Amino acid sequence: MKERLSISEMAQLRGISAETLRHYDRIDLFKPQHVDPHTGYRYYSIFQYEVLGTIKELRQLGMNTNEVKQYFNERNIKNSTDILAAKHEELVRKLKEMTALEENIRDKLAFLREVIAEVGSPAVTIRQLGRRKLFTLHQKINSNLELCYGVLGLENRLTETAPILASNRLGVLLSQEDLEARRFESPSTIFVVAKRATSLPKVNLVTIPAGSFACIRYYGELWNRSESLDTLCRKLVEDGYVITGDALQIMQVDITITDNPNEVMFEIQVPIRKQTANSSYHGV
């Protein structure tokens, strides 16, 4: 055992590179205890091991070198506690952001695997879907240009970290009136399904009640929906259903996933109920 260590020996002892130690020396963060005046060789004392260990741990916490310098400046229990508390708060915030991203990616992967495995499913399915809150600027779109600006408008007003397009949440509302009148090409209101509705202005929220939805998926542009909507509406008439509200057209597979336009996919969800003897089916 020896007290004086070369730069390579200290680096190996602490599991860091010699170049890192040279960098710390240049920026006056961690300097060798002795420099040979004749050779210029740097030597560290074994008693400096704890300071270097603390620097390594602070860097693992995400502190930059200036923050580490601040930590060692007039170090005492109060200053250290304040700095560590601030770093802990930052780490908790980042952890929440990463958790949200992980959840979105996990959900997207599950959906994409379902799409890949899906074979021979019926054109129209009836599904039970839960209550949803939609965040919208009540902006109607009718072209790809308007779609681009609509997406930007939504993204710029959301405080979420998790991406919209990677989570099957972006879509447009098709009014019940237009559906019943078979105006399938009418301008539609762009929205994103809200995850944290309590933090959003109520004027920008639209509630979609839980219930039965007739669903159909199709491949192509947002505007290529007429044929699928016509198929869905005819099926509803045949099976004795009535439309009970606005429909949702949600982007499922988009340009964030594929460059192949034939793989771009949307799902249309139309709220329905069984037609009773006293109800009439208008327009469909």
Side-chain angles (χ1 to χ4, degrees):
M1 292 188 294
K2 57 183 181 180
E3 179 181 335
R4 185 172 291 183
L5 303 171
S6 68
I7 187 170
S8 59
E9 289 172 330
M10 178 60 93
Q12 184 177 12
L13 185 68
R14 270 304 182 185
I16 60 176
S17 69
E19 179 52 37
T20 296
L21 281 178
R22 294 188 185 95
H23 175 64
Y24 288 169
D25 182 13
R26 287 193 294 268
I27 65 174
D28 295 326
L29 175 60
F30 183 72
K31 302 189 74 65
Q33 189 180 69
H34 175 74
V35 178
D36 190 304
H38 303 291
T39 64
Y41 288 168
R42 299 169 173 81
Y43 294 96
Y44 296 87
S45 168
I46 186 62
F47 297 112
Q48 292 179 279
Y49 84 99
E50 188 54 44
V51 173
L52 184 56
T54 301
I55 292 172
K56 184 178 178 180
E57 290 179 358
L58 294 176
R59 294 288 283 155
Q60 289 173 336
L61 289 176
M63 286 190 183
N64 59 41
T65 52
N66 287 332
E67 289 174 323
V68 175
K69 281 184 180 181
Q70 182 183 357
Y71 182 85
F72 282 102
N73 185 29
E74 297 182 8
R75 188 160 47 136
N76 58 58
I77 189 169
K78 183 182 183 307
N79 287 346
S80 296
T81 299
D82 290 343
I83 291 173
L84 290 175
K87 181 54 64 175
H88 178 258
E89 184 177 337
E90 179 185 331
L91 289 172
V92 169
R93 184 177 67 255
K94 288 181 178 178
L95 182 60
K96 289 180 179 178
E97 292 174 354
M98 293 303 295
T99 298
L101 287 171
E102 187 277 329
E103 289 175 354
N104 254 14
I105 294 173
R106 175 165 26 98
D107 291 345
K108 188 67 174 185
L109 282 172
F111 172 76
L112 292 175
R113 287 168 180 147
E114 173 196 332
V115 169
I116 292 171
E118 195 175 62
V119 178
S121 61
V124 178
T125 59
I126 306 299
R127 291 161 53 197
Q128 297 297 314
L129 299 176
R131 180 174 177 268
R132 287 165 287 178
K133 289 278 190 181
L134 309 183
F135 175 67
T136 177
L137 303 179
H138 304 288
Q139 177 183 1
K140 288 187 178 292
I141 61 170
N142 198 34
S143 69
N144 285 332
L145 179 62
E146 292 174 354
L147 175 63
C148 291
Y149 280 100
V151 172
L152 287 171
L154 289 171
E155 287 183 337
N156 290 338
R157 286 165 175 79
L158 284 175
T159 58
E160 301 174 16
T161 303
I164 294 174
L165 295 182
S167 57
N168 308 334
R169 295 164 55 204
L170 182 71
V172 294
L173 277 175
L174 313 174
S175 75
Q176 179 179 359
E177 180 182 355
D178 284 337
L179 288 178
E180 291 177 342
R182 292 182 177 267
R183 294 191 295 263
F184 300 147
E185 303 302 323
S186 296
S188 311
T189 303
I190 189 170
F191 70 82
V192 60
V193 178
K195 280 197 168 183
R196 299 172 184 84
T198 54
S199 63
L200 299 171
K202 290 184 179 180
V203 69
N204 295 120
L205 293 174
V206 173
T207 301
I208 303 297
S212 299
F213 289 78
C215 303
I216 188 169
R217 291 175 178 172
Y218 75 91
Y219 294 90
E221 292 278 350
L222 177 69
W223 323 107
N224 302 146
R225 60 194 177 213
S226 294
E227 183 178 347
S228 296
L229 279 169
D230 185 66
T231 298
L232 185 147
C233 289
R234 290 180 184 277
K235 180 67 172 174
L236 294 183
V237 172
E238 292 173 6
D239 294 348
Y241 287 100
V242 293
I243 298 174
T244 60
D246 295 345
L248 291 76
Q249 180 181 350
I250 301 178
M251 190 173 284
Q252 304 284 284
V253 178
D254 56 28
I255 58 174
T256 67
I257 299 298
T258 181
D259 289 327
N260 186 347
N262 295 324
E263 292 182 334
V264 173
M265 186 178 74
F266 292 86
E267 180 174 78
I268 299 171
Q269 303 169 355
V270 180
I272 58 170
R273 63 174 171 79
K274 268 291 187 179
Q275 188 174 13
T276 63
N278 296 326
S279 64
S280 59
Y281 210 129
H282 299 291
V284 178

